[in-house]
Amino acid sequence: MSGLPVLSLIVFTPLLGVAALLFVPGTNHRLIRWVALLAAMGSLGFSLFLVGYDPAGAEFQFREDLPWISAFGIRYQLGVDGMSAVLVLLTTVLSVVSILYSWGPIQMRVKEYYAAMLLLMAGMLGVFVALDLFVFYVFWELSLIPMYLVIGIWGGPQRIYATLKFVIYTLVGSLLMLVAILAVVIANANLPGGTFTFSYEALRGVPFPDLLQAGAFIAFGLAFAIKVPMWPFHTWLPDAHVEAPTAGSIILAGVLLKLGGYGFLRFSLPLLPDAAQSFAPLMIGLALIAIMYGALVAMVQPDLKKLIAYSSVSHMGFVMLGAFVFNTQGLQGAIFQMVSHGITTGALFLLVGVIYERTHDRLISHMGGLNARLPAYAALFGLFTFASIGLPGLSGFVGEFLVMLGAFQYSAWVGAWAMLVVIASAVYMLWMFQRAFFAVPSDWMRRAWGGLHDLTRVEWLSLAPLVVLVVALGVFPAPVLEATAGPVQRILDAVQGAAGLNLVAWPW
């Protein structure tokens, strides 16, 4: 099996599914759904090869390297380290869950919908395995277009507004990232002995001048900060989440937001370590604002889906905090938090979609007493709520604990601030859970929500892998932590050995 191009198979199997869909009649919804599911499961099956990633082995494994556009130094370079391997596995699992869950809710333009979902899957997977900056950019763009279609065609009443906002923000970020990539590549070519290459490994460790590092870090940073999303670039997220169909929200929260965090850890820190060192205080400040802002705004949301969307802003702030405190605990916590947030928030959005499909309503004030009417649904909602607030024994605890540990090592004040928000997060999530599931049923619910039924077989099948993962990673997080230890150490070697920029001096 050593000669098997595993990464290409992971990325391109969904595209084979799209090609197969072209030959399926648009009216045969059953066959379309099966083709899409089998393509996604095929990619998931190939991604299981990454479980064999050797933490003690070479940095990038399962490598593929072929010439592509040689005149511009562009190669088809793929490879994974421990960080990208766990994110690839997260992506394939959540994609299968999203496609399976969509069997019931999606009844309009079914063929186009599943084609868009498979294209989206391929784009996201390509981002995590690309080792050439041009290939990375191509896959990054590929992931934007299908999400634009998913929200714009299958979304809610305000989908056009939400789609335009999503596209404007992300396109601006993409253009800035392209400028940063070209600046780094050209600067490297102009250095003595430099070559024109887009290879990540060749560009890492190059001593770029301060001005170039500062400019490229800001451009990369804006692109990735929009994607995270980091305050104050987050405003597209709640609208996109609220208007997206359920599967779109699962992918948006579970994977697309992780592209920004991954971009910081893969490119901004190792490629531009002096700039990362100098801008770290600013990034930590923005992360702390995002953590508190997301929690406070989530607390007053009347819409269940919007509450979870704003909680994502807060949780992803934890990721950014862990990434920029520059110690082992913080960085490992950031990566683990990305994985855990993908599972727990993806599951919560799926569960919100379940109740919305039955009632076409998401207002918390219209709920109450759901625990008695939908006991299995309530139990799973409770499980993922507790995971989201970081209950020990569930996946959310590990990431938050490590980030907190890293934050306290960086500064007691920073750690105390983050700790305060952890408490606030627990308050608003538990308050939401109490009002929706244990309060006296509202008059609205008695009048309008008749005939509610508990989880269906497809909904159980969609949620089952997420239940297993959220418990397994909470009880036994060692495989993820061992896989990410090497990449984290290499990031630390780069940024801790950096001297910082001479042209940046903060007043604090």
Side-chain angles (χ1 to χ4, degrees):
M1 303 295 279
S2 59
L4 198 66
V6 171
L7 300 182
S8 290
L9 289 169
I10 293 171
V11 174
F12 291 106
T13 299
L15 296 184
L16 290 176
V18 176
L21 286 177
L22 294 176
F23 299 97
V24 179
T27 54
N28 194 341
H29 292 179
R30 181 181 174 83
L31 182 56
I32 290 169
R33 289 173 180 131
W34 272 109
V35 168
L37 182 62
L38 288 174
M41 290 185 69
S43 183
L44 170 62
F46 288 121
S47 72
L48 294 179
F49 280 96
L50 303 188
V51 175
Y53 173 82
D54 180 9
E59 178 184 2
F60 291 105
Q61 299 172 26
F62 303 94
R63 292 180 62 98
E64 297 170 35
D65 189 353
L66 296 169
W68 185 16
I69 310 175
S70 302
F72 296 104
I74 297 170
R75 299 183 68 84
Y76 176 74
Q77 281 187 323
L78 306 182
V80 292
D81 61 4
M83 176 172 63
S84 43
V86 296
L87 291 172
V88 166
L89 286 164
L90 173 72
T91 304
T92 53
V93 169
L94 287 178
S95 296
V96 169
V97 167
S98 301
I99 286 173
L100 177 60
Y101 173 75
S102 300
W103 280 30
I106 299 299
Q107 299 295 332
M108 179 191 74
R109 304 179 77 168
V110 176
K111 186 172 172 177
E112 292 88 342
Y113 173 82
Y114 284 106
M117 290 296 287
L118 290 173
L119 278 172
L120 178 60
M121 184 180 182
M124 295 184 300
L125 290 168
V127 166
F128 291 132
V129 301
L131 291 182
D132 181 286
L133 269 66
F134 184 80
V135 177
F136 171 81
Y137 183 76
V138 169
F139 281 121
W140 181 281
E141 290 298 295
L142 181 61
S143 70
L144 299 183
I145 299 166
M147 180 51 78
Y148 161 77
L149 296 174
V150 167
I151 300 173
I153 297 176
W154 294 275
Q158 302 297 320
R159 60 184 180 277
I160 301 301
Y161 170 74
T163 306
L164 285 175
K165 205 169 177 180
F166 170 75
V167 167
I168 290 169
Y169 269 78
T170 49
L171 271 183
V172 169
S174 297
L175 289 173
L176 288 170
M177 184 169 68
L178 180 60
V179 170
I181 290 173
L182 291 176
V184 168
V185 169
I186 293 170
N188 176 64
N190 289 333
L191 289 172
T195 56
F196 203 85
T197 178
F198 285 79
S199 168
Y200 168 75
E201 290 168 292
L203 294 170
R204 187 177 52 177
V206 173
F208 294 112
D210 281 7
L211 190 60
L212 184 281
Q213 284 210 40
F217 185 89
I218 291 170
F220 268 130
L222 285 170
F224 299 143
I226 288 171
K227 204 70 165 183
V228 167
M230 199 169 181
W231 184 89
F233 310 107
H234 66 284
T235 60
W236 63 270
L237 179 74
D239 294 313
H241 266 309
V242 169
E243 298 304 323
T246 298
S249 291
I250 296 170
I251 293 297
L252 193 57
V255 185
L256 276 184
L257 305 189
K258 312 303 176 293
L259 301 188
Y262 176 79
F264 274 112
L265 294 172
R266 172 66 73 218
F267 297 102
S268 296
L269 272 57
L271 285 182
L272 310 161
D274 291 309
Q277 188 68 258
S278 289
F279 283 104
L282 176 65
M283 299 302 291
I284 289 171
L286 292 176
L288 291 175
I289 294 172
I291 292 169
M292 180 60 84
Y293 171 85
L296 292 177
V297 178
M299 202 173 289
V300 297
Q301 290 306 311
D303 184 312
L304 192 56
K305 199 173 186 183
K306 214 163 186 174
L307 184 151
I308 297 170
Y310 275 107
S311 78
S312 291
V313 175
S314 186
H315 283 123
M316 291 306 291
F318 265 95
V319 172
M320 297 309 300
L321 176 61
F324 279 90
V325 294
F326 296 156
N327 53 51
T328 303
Q329 292 80 5
L331 280 162
Q332 283 213 302
I335 299 171
F336 204 98
Q337 179 77 350
M338 284 200 286
V339 175
S340 174
H341 178 264
I343 299 167
T344 56
T345 307
L348 286 172
F349 276 122
L350 194 158
L351 288 165
V352 172
V354 167
I355 200 72
Y356 185 74
E357 290 301 323
R358 287 157 172 66
T359 64
H360 298 287
D361 196 345
R362 293 188 303 256
L363 288 178
I364 300 171
S365 60
H366 288 175
M367 301 178 184
L370 285 176
N371 181 53
R373 300 182 69 177
L374 308 171
Y377 176 82
L380 292 190
F381 207 108
L383 174 73
F384 290 110
T385 298
F386 288 125
S388 180
I389 63 177
L391 188 76
L394 299 174
S395 64
F397 172 75
V398 182
E400 280 194 358
F401 176 75
L402 287 172
V403 171
M404 295 292 301
L405 207 57
F408 272 108
Q409 282 189 45
Y410 177 82
S411 160
W413 287 106
V414 170
W417 180 274
M419 177 71 82
L420 185 66
V421 181
V422 169
I423 297 169
S425 300
V427 169
Y428 73 74
M429 289 298 284
L430 291 175
W431 187 38
M432 172 273 293
F433 188 60
Q434 185 273 329
R435 284 181 291 162
F437 290 89
F438 293 100
V440 175
S442 66
D443 292 337
W444 178 279
M445 186 175 174
R446 290 195 188 96
R447 287 198 309 270
W449 289 22
L452 281 180
H453 59 85
D454 216 330
L455 296 172
T456 65
R457 186 172 56 181
V458 169
E459 289 161 357
W460 268 113
L461 285 173
S462 304
L463 286 161
L466 305 181
V467 172
V468 172
L469 284 172
V470 82
V471 175
L473 291 177
V475 175
F476 189 56
V480 173
L481 297 178
E482 288 171 4
T484 57
V488 162
Q489 189 55 52
R490 280 182 277 274
I491 294 171
L492 287 176
D493 290 343
V495 294
Q496 288 181 341
L501 302 175
N502 292 323
L503 49 80
V504 176
W506 302 104
W508 55 84

